[in-house]
Amino acid sequence: MPVEDVGDDRYEDAVRRAAAAARDAPEPATLKSHSTCAECPFYDHCWPLAVAERRIEVLGDVWTSVAQALHDLGLHTIEALAGVEAGGSA
Ligand code: SF4
């Protein structure tokens, strides 16, 4: 199926709108585990933010499936996880 040439003006307008949409969009909350992210070209963008936010995904034992299970329990940060462990052992 041939792609029709839309012309430079429409193309550049579409690029401007796409860039604005990406720039103004909130950062996705999705984060993979350390082993996946370490191989990703966006690591330098995502990982420092995850560390700063104390996300559970930065812990070496928290794989993607484990992270999802913890998220389902409402646990997203290292502090939240530590609180559950401290409370559970009492
Ligand atoms: S570094 Fe960011 S974009 Fe890459 S896999 Fe991890 S969360 Fe996804």
Side-chain angles (χ1 to χ4, degrees):
M1 176 180 204
V3 176
E4 232 178 88
D5 185 345
V6 295
D8 289 346
D9 289 345
R10 282 187 64 192
Y11 175 78
E12 288 171 13
D13 182 52
V15 169
R16 270 193 299 275
R17 285 185 286 122
R23 184 180 53 248
D24 298 338
E27 187 75 22
T30 304
L31 183 69
K32 298 296 182 184
S33 65
H34 50 89
S35 59
T36 302
C37 292
E39 303 296 323
C40 177
F42 298 107
Y43 178 86
D44 289 342
H45 173 79
C46 297
W47 211 247
L49 184 61
V51 170
E53 292 178 345
R54 311 273 297 159
R55 297 277 300 260
I56 57 173
E57 290 88 344
V58 302
L59 297 172
D61 289 335
V62 176
W63 296 74
T64 300
S65 60
V66 173
Q68 186 57 57
L70 294 171
H71 290 176
D72 291 346
L73 295 170
L75 302 170
H76 301 275
T77 65
I78 293 169
E79 285 72 18
L81 183 59
V84 168
E85 290 176 347
S89 63

